[in-house]
Amino acid sequence: MTSVPDRIAAELEKEILEQRLDSGARYALRTELIERYGVSANAMNEALRILRERGVVVVKPGVQGGVFIAQPPPQVRLGVIDLWFRGLLVDAVDLFEARSLLEDGFAEVAAERATPEDARDLGWALEELRDRRDDPRLYLEANMRLHAVIARAARVPVLAAMYESIVTLLRGALVRAEFAVADPSEALDHNIEVHARLIKAITSGDRELLAAAITDHRTDLVRLTEPSRSPGRPGSPPAAR
């Protein structure tokens, strides 16, 4: 059962992420939060301790004190999906770049090695992608599962294990996912169509179609950004998919 401090910490963290407050911004007074939630000072202190340990807030004493926003967790934009991570020891953008490079290679090899069973599994994965379009986090999960099927179809176990390790890191550190626009339907339709062509190219072994699909796949989900890298910073990877 979730404790009161844990529940308060989760609600405050969600609110802070949604408001996208700048690092150093004053969020609230501790007394204001106690009154807002109707809890004891001890319960609120524990909730704030949890948020401090997560690197979400800084609590300062004194007249000019209060609860302030710490360095926000890294944010990555994958086309119309914004993602926030916590606890990564490496740059989230670097992980997505590695993921993207592996996916391109897997697709090319899978076009030579995919079996009828792989084609069946890819069809199921594409249907799941279509079914998960209403929820950004579930859509991302379905996307990663689809590419995991492609990785298996390539039959390079060492690289597939590396890919799974990257996905596991991203999945475990993801704290929030939301659509970046009010109506993402057009972008999602295009993204699903790109994946459908990618799968068709793999299962048919059509190298020309595959090259075009990989190119579209690289550019479909627009860009990666996070506080440590500006959108136009040289060396930033192409969009992850």
Side-chain angles (χ1 to χ4, degrees):
M1 182 177 179
T2 304
S3 69
V4 171
D6 284 331
R7 176 181 59 80
I8 293 173
E11 291 181 9
L12 291 177
E13 182 174 19
K14 179 181 178 182
E15 183 174 278
I16 288 169
L17 291 176
E18 287 176 343
Q19 292 182 6
R20 304 186 184 187
L21 298 173
D22 293 332
S23 177
R26 188 173 185 171
Y27 177 59
L29 294 174
R30 189 177 66 92
T31 52
E32 291 172 346
L33 295 175
I34 291 172
E35 182 177 352
R36 171 180 165 184
Y37 282 95
V39 296
S40 67
N42 287 339
M44 183 54 65
N45 287 342
E46 177 62 16
L48 293 175
R49 182 193 65 77
I50 293 170
L51 293 179
R52 287 200 307 273
E53 290 185 350
R54 293 178 181 174
V56 177
V57 301
V58 174
V59 180
K60 300 179 181 179
V63 177
Q64 300 299 320
V67 181
F68 295 81
I69 304 302
Q71 179 67 36
Q75 176 185 348
V76 175
R77 173 164 294 181
L78 283 82
V80 292
I81 302 178
D82 280 344
L83 306 170
W84 287 265
F85 297 90
R86 181 179 63 235
L88 284 174
L89 300 179
V90 294
D91 195 320
V93 172
D94 290 340
L95 286 176
F96 275 103
E97 182 179 29
R99 173 180 176 259
S100 298
L101 292 172
L102 285 172
E103 286 173 353
D104 289 349
F106 286 140
E108 292 175 353
V109 178
E112 300 175 356
R113 302 181 179 179
T115 66
E117 290 74 18
D118 294 324
R120 177 202 62 198
D121 293 343
L122 285 168
W124 290 344
L126 182 62
E127 285 305 309
E128 182 188 15
L129 193 67
R130 291 191 177 104
D131 291 342
R132 298 292 186 264
R133 55 180 295 134
D134 293 333
D135 185 294
R137 184 161 191 156
L138 293 180
Y139 189 84
L140 176 66
E141 288 282 350
N143 181 292
M144 291 192 293
R145 279 191 287 273
L146 186 153
H147 284 285
V149 175
I150 296 176
R152 289 196 298 273
R155 288 174 174 75
V156 186
V158 174
L159 291 181
M162 292 173 60
Y163 181 80
E164 185 58 36
S165 295
I166 292 171
V167 169
T168 298
L169 282 174
L170 292 170
R171 184 181 289 120
L174 182 64
V175 294
R176 182 171 178 79
E178 65 178 36
F179 288 123
V181 295
D183 184 6
S185 57
E186 183 176 350
L188 292 177
D189 284 343
H190 185 255
N191 183 247
I192 291 169
E193 189 269 334
V194 167
H195 282 90
R197 285 194 287 113
L198 184 64
I199 290 171
K200 181 179 180 181
I202 291 171
T203 55
S204 66
D206 187 326
R207 307 299 296 189
E208 184 176 347
L209 179 61
L210 179 65
I214 289 176
T215 298
D216 288 344
H217 188 235
R218 288 174 185 157
T219 59
D220 183 40
L221 287 175
V222 184
R223 66 182 183 183
L224 296 173
T225 64
E226 65 171 359
S228 63
R229 296 191 182 186
S230 63
R233 174 176 171 176
S236 292
R241 294 80 73 194

Short mmCIF file of all heavy atoms in Angstrom, two decimals, residues 24 26-27 32 82 98 109 111-112 115 120 130 186-187 195-196 207 223 231 236-237:
data_model
loop_
_atom_site.label_atom_id
_atom_site.label_comp_id
_atom_site.label_asym_id
_atom_site.label_seq_id
_atom_site.Cartn_x
_atom_site.Cartn_y
_atom_site.Cartn_z
N GLY A 24 15.55 26.25 -10.48
CA GLY A 24 15.71 27.39 -9.59
C GLY A 24 14.44 28.16 -9.33
O GLY A 24 14.41 29.04 -8.45
N ARG A 26 10.90 29.14 -7.83
CA ARG A 26 10.24 28.86 -6.55
C ARG A 26 8.90 28.18 -6.82
O ARG A 26 8.09 28.70 -7.58
CB ARG A 26 10.03 30.15 -5.77
CG ARG A 26 9.53 29.93 -4.34
CD ARG A 26 9.52 31.24 -3.59
NE ARG A 26 9.16 31.05 -2.19
CZ ARG A 26 9.24 32.01 -1.29
NH1 ARG A 26 9.67 33.22 -1.64
NH2 ARG A 26 8.90 31.77 -0.03
N TYR A 27 8.73 27.05 -6.20
CA TYR A 27 7.52 26.25 -6.44
C TYR A 27 6.43 26.55 -5.41
O TYR A 27 5.28 26.79 -5.77
CB TYR A 27 7.89 24.77 -6.41
CG TYR A 27 6.72 23.83 -6.57
CD1 TYR A 27 5.91 23.87 -7.70
CD2 TYR A 27 6.42 22.90 -5.58
CE1 TYR A 27 4.84 23.02 -7.84
CE2 TYR A 27 5.35 22.02 -5.71
CZ TYR A 27 4.57 22.09 -6.84
OH TYR A 27 3.52 21.24 -6.97
N GLU A 32 2.51 26.07 2.74
CA GLU A 32 1.42 26.06 1.75
C GLU A 32 1.09 24.63 1.33
O GLU A 32 -0.09 24.29 1.17
CB GLU A 32 1.83 26.88 0.52
CG GLU A 32 1.94 28.37 0.78
CD GLU A 32 2.51 29.13 -0.40
OE1 GLU A 32 3.07 28.47 -1.32
OE2 GLU A 32 2.41 30.36 -0.42
N ASP A 82 6.75 13.77 -25.95
CA ASP A 82 7.76 14.27 -25.03
C ASP A 82 7.98 13.23 -23.94
O ASP A 82 7.01 12.67 -23.40
CB ASP A 82 7.30 15.58 -24.38
CG ASP A 82 7.51 16.78 -25.28
OD1 ASP A 82 8.26 16.66 -26.26
OD2 ASP A 82 6.90 17.83 -25.01
N ALA A 98 22.13 5.44 -30.25
CA ALA A 98 22.59 4.05 -30.37
C ALA A 98 21.44 3.14 -30.78
O ALA A 98 21.61 2.25 -31.63
CB ALA A 98 23.20 3.60 -29.04
N VAL A 109 19.51 -6.45 -42.14
CA VAL A 109 19.82 -7.88 -42.04
C VAL A 109 18.54 -8.72 -42.00
O VAL A 109 18.47 -9.80 -42.59
CB VAL A 109 20.69 -8.15 -40.80
CG1 VAL A 109 20.99 -9.64 -40.67
CG2 VAL A 109 21.99 -7.37 -40.88
N ALA A 111 15.86 -8.23 -43.54
CA ALA A 111 15.32 -8.37 -44.89
C ALA A 111 15.89 -9.60 -45.59
O ALA A 111 15.28 -10.11 -46.53
CB ALA A 111 15.62 -7.10 -45.70
N GLU A 112 17.05 -10.06 -45.13
CA GLU A 112 17.66 -11.25 -45.70
C GLU A 112 17.31 -12.53 -44.93
O GLU A 112 17.33 -13.62 -45.51
CB GLU A 112 19.18 -11.10 -45.71
CG GLU A 112 19.69 -9.91 -46.52
CD GLU A 112 21.19 -9.73 -46.39
OE1 GLU A 112 21.81 -10.50 -45.61
OE2 GLU A 112 21.74 -8.85 -47.06
N THR A 115 11.86 -15.01 -41.40
CA THR A 115 11.09 -16.21 -41.73
C THR A 115 9.60 -15.88 -41.78
O THR A 115 9.19 -14.79 -41.37
CB THR A 115 11.33 -17.28 -40.66
OG1 THR A 115 10.77 -16.81 -39.41
CG2 THR A 115 12.82 -17.57 -40.49
N ARG A 120 4.78 -13.04 -39.41
CA ARG A 120 3.56 -13.09 -38.59
C ARG A 120 3.71 -12.22 -37.35
O ARG A 120 2.81 -11.43 -37.01
CB ARG A 120 3.29 -14.54 -38.18
CG ARG A 120 2.10 -14.75 -37.26
CD ARG A 120 2.25 -16.06 -36.50
NE ARG A 120 3.45 -16.06 -35.66
CZ ARG A 120 4.02 -17.15 -35.17
NH1 ARG A 120 3.54 -18.34 -35.47
NH2 ARG A 120 5.09 -17.06 -34.40
N ARG A 130 -0.87 0.21 -33.80
CA ARG A 130 -2.10 0.92 -34.16
C ARG A 130 -3.05 1.01 -32.97
O ARG A 130 -3.68 2.06 -32.75
CB ARG A 130 -2.81 0.20 -35.31
CG ARG A 130 -2.09 0.26 -36.64
CD ARG A 130 -2.99 -0.23 -37.76
NE ARG A 130 -2.36 -0.12 -39.07
CZ ARG A 130 -1.86 -1.12 -39.76
NH1 ARG A 130 -1.92 -2.36 -39.27
NH2 ARG A 130 -1.30 -0.93 -40.94
N GLU A 186 -2.42 12.97 -37.01
CA GLU A 186 -1.81 12.99 -38.35
C GLU A 186 -0.38 12.45 -38.29
O GLU A 186 0.03 11.64 -39.13
CB GLU A 186 -1.82 14.41 -38.92
CG GLU A 186 -1.25 14.50 -40.33
CD GLU A 186 -1.35 15.89 -40.92
OE1 GLU A 186 -2.03 16.75 -40.31
OE2 GLU A 186 -0.75 16.12 -41.99
N ALA A 187 0.38 12.90 -37.28
CA ALA A 187 1.77 12.45 -37.15
C ALA A 187 1.82 10.96 -36.83
O ALA A 187 2.68 10.23 -37.36
CB ALA A 187 2.47 13.24 -36.05
N HIS A 195 6.15 2.56 -40.54
CA HIS A 195 6.48 1.24 -39.99
C HIS A 195 5.87 0.12 -40.82
O HIS A 195 6.46 -0.95 -40.97
CB HIS A 195 6.02 1.14 -38.53
CG HIS A 195 6.95 1.84 -37.57
ND1 HIS A 195 6.80 3.16 -37.22
CD2 HIS A 195 8.05 1.38 -36.90
CE1 HIS A 195 7.77 3.49 -36.38
NE2 HIS A 195 8.54 2.44 -36.17
N ALA A 196 4.68 0.36 -41.37
CA ALA A 196 4.06 -0.66 -42.22
C ALA A 196 4.90 -0.90 -43.47
O ALA A 196 5.11 -2.05 -43.90
CB ALA A 196 2.65 -0.22 -42.61
N ARG A 207 14.96 -4.59 -51.44
CA ARG A 207 16.02 -3.72 -50.96
C ARG A 207 15.76 -2.24 -51.29
O ARG A 207 16.09 -1.37 -50.50
CB ARG A 207 17.36 -4.15 -51.58
CG ARG A 207 17.71 -5.60 -51.40
CD ARG A 207 17.83 -5.99 -49.93
NE ARG A 207 18.92 -5.30 -49.26
CZ ARG A 207 19.32 -5.60 -48.03
NH1 ARG A 207 18.72 -6.54 -47.34
NH2 ARG A 207 20.32 -4.92 -47.47
N ARG A 223 12.70 15.14 -33.88
CA ARG A 223 13.98 15.54 -33.31
C ARG A 223 14.12 15.05 -31.88
O ARG A 223 13.15 14.64 -31.24
CB ARG A 223 14.13 17.06 -33.33
CG ARG A 223 13.13 17.75 -32.40
CD ARG A 223 13.24 19.25 -32.47
NE ARG A 223 12.33 19.86 -31.52
CZ ARG A 223 12.17 21.16 -31.40
NH1 ARG A 223 12.83 21.99 -32.17
NH2 ARG A 223 11.33 21.66 -30.51
N PRO A 231 18.20 22.19 -29.75
CA PRO A 231 17.75 21.44 -30.92
C PRO A 231 18.72 21.49 -32.09
O PRO A 231 18.82 20.56 -32.86
CB PRO A 231 16.41 22.10 -31.28
CG PRO A 231 15.93 22.70 -29.99
CD PRO A 231 17.18 23.11 -29.26
N SER A 236 24.03 16.54 -32.75
CA SER A 236 22.84 15.90 -32.23
C SER A 236 22.34 14.89 -33.24
O SER A 236 22.39 15.13 -34.46
CB SER A 236 21.74 16.95 -31.96
OG SER A 236 22.13 17.78 -30.90
N PRO A 237 21.83 13.74 -32.78
CA PRO A 237 21.45 12.68 -33.71
C PRO A 237 20.18 13.02 -34.45
O PRO A 237 19.42 13.88 -34.03
CB PRO A 237 21.23 11.48 -32.78
CG PRO A 237 20.84 12.09 -31.49
CD PRO A 237 21.63 13.36 -31.39
#
